[in-house]
Amino acid sequence: GKSSERSPQQVGLYAEAVREVAREHAGGESAVLVDIHRAFGGADGKGVSSLTLEDGVHLGANGSDLVAGEVLRALDGLGLGVEACAEDAPGHAEIESAADIDRWYTRG
């Protein structure tokens, strides 16, 4: 039969190539790789089915939660987490029209 391009081994090779590109292009800057492949359990592919939809590619609710957690952890590591960032926009409950947004940004 036809070999799957989405096998755990192929995905692992792709993930390692992405890690290498991230290392090469960081160049001393604070480039951050959010390694979802590693967070999903690595090359063995075990547990991925509980994180994706039936197609094995698109994230399900558990996968979305995992990815969001990894991104938030990376932002916290850069000092850009939710707690560290000051509120610089009105909350949704404070906005009823475009005029409310204009008033927020022109206040003084």
Side-chain angles (χ1 to χ4, degrees):
K2 184 178 172 183
S3 68
S4 172
E5 294 178 16
R6 295 181 187 162
S7 71
Q9 295 77 19
Q10 286 299 110
V11 172
L13 290 171
Y14 181 82
E16 186 52 42
V18 170
R19 289 183 200 109
E20 182 62 30
V21 169
R23 284 190 292 271
E24 288 175 9
H25 291 281
E29 299 295 319
S30 48
V32 175
L33 170 67
V34 178
D35 194 339
I36 300 305
H37 181 258
R38 194 162 283 141
F40 269 35
D44 65 6
K46 293 179 181 171
V48 172
S49 64
S50 68
L51 301 171
T52 61
L53 299 177
E54 289 179 16
D55 65 7
V57 176
H58 296 93
L59 297 175
N62 292 338
S64 294
D65 288 345
L66 183 137
V67 170
E70 293 297 311
V71 170
L72 290 172
R73 193 174 355 275
L75 290 171
D76 283 340
L78 294 170
L80 298 171
V82 173
E83 299 297 321
C85 294
E87 184 178 314
D88 63 355
H92 290 265
E94 299 174 65
I95 301 171
E96 291 184 13
S97 70
D100 293 333
I101 295 171
D102 291 341
R103 275 194 299 281
W104 177 273
Y105 288 109
T106 57
R107 66 187 177 156

